[in-house]
Amino acid sequence: MSGLMGGLNRVFEWIMRLSVINILWILFNLPICYLLFSILFATDQSSMFLFLLTIAVLAPFIFFPATTAMFGVVRKWVMGDLDVPLLKSYWLFYKENYLRSLTGE
């Protein structure tokens, strides 16, 4: 495709890719999302502090590896490998970079 329809097709493909990768990132960060949502319904300051402490403890184990996996998949797309299987490559990046993302290397 070329012209206006080809350009729109490329734009919509990127929008779809970024939407799916963000949904995967949210699914992998579901415990942290749940705790953040629970803060809204915290009745007192001590329970809010407990939720924040739990998020701070879980972040290196859940948030950072999921974020590095997301950036790894997007990096493959930017470098031209557009036909990469999304879930499989996300999971591979998650496993490969788990220990490095914990230490912050």
Side-chain angles (χ1 to χ4, degrees):
M1 278 195 257
S2 63
L4 178 65
M5 293 307 286
L8 283 174
N9 188 26
R10 281 191 297 269
V11 167
F12 290 141
E13 280 182 3
W14 274 100
I15 289 172
M16 188 272 311
R17 284 186 189 118
L18 292 174
S19 300
V20 172
I21 197 75
N22 280 318
I23 290 171
L24 266 176
W25 183 84
I26 288 171
L27 286 175
F28 274 72
N29 283 303
L30 209 53
I32 293 176
C33 293
Y34 174 75
L35 290 170
L36 284 172
F37 187 69
S38 297
I39 289 175
L40 296 174
F41 299 106
T43 56
D44 57 348
Q45 203 170 22
S46 64
S47 62
M48 187 181 300
F49 177 73
L50 182 64
F51 286 136
L52 288 173
L53 183 66
T54 308
I55 290 171
V57 169
L58 284 179
F61 298 104
I62 296 174
F63 179 77
F64 298 140
T67 304
T68 56
M70 179 183 65
F71 284 128
V73 172
V74 172
R75 182 178 180 272
K76 275 189 149 313
W77 290 340
V78 169
M79 294 184 72
D81 193 6
L82 298 175
D83 295 329
V84 61
L86 186 62
L87 187 60
K88 183 179 178 182
S89 60
Y90 187 88
W91 181 246
L92 284 174
F93 278 117
Y94 190 87
K95 289 190 310 186
E96 286 175 2
N97 297 320
Y98 189 79
L99 289 176
R100 283 196 302 190
S101 65
L102 285 175
T103 60
E105 290 180 11

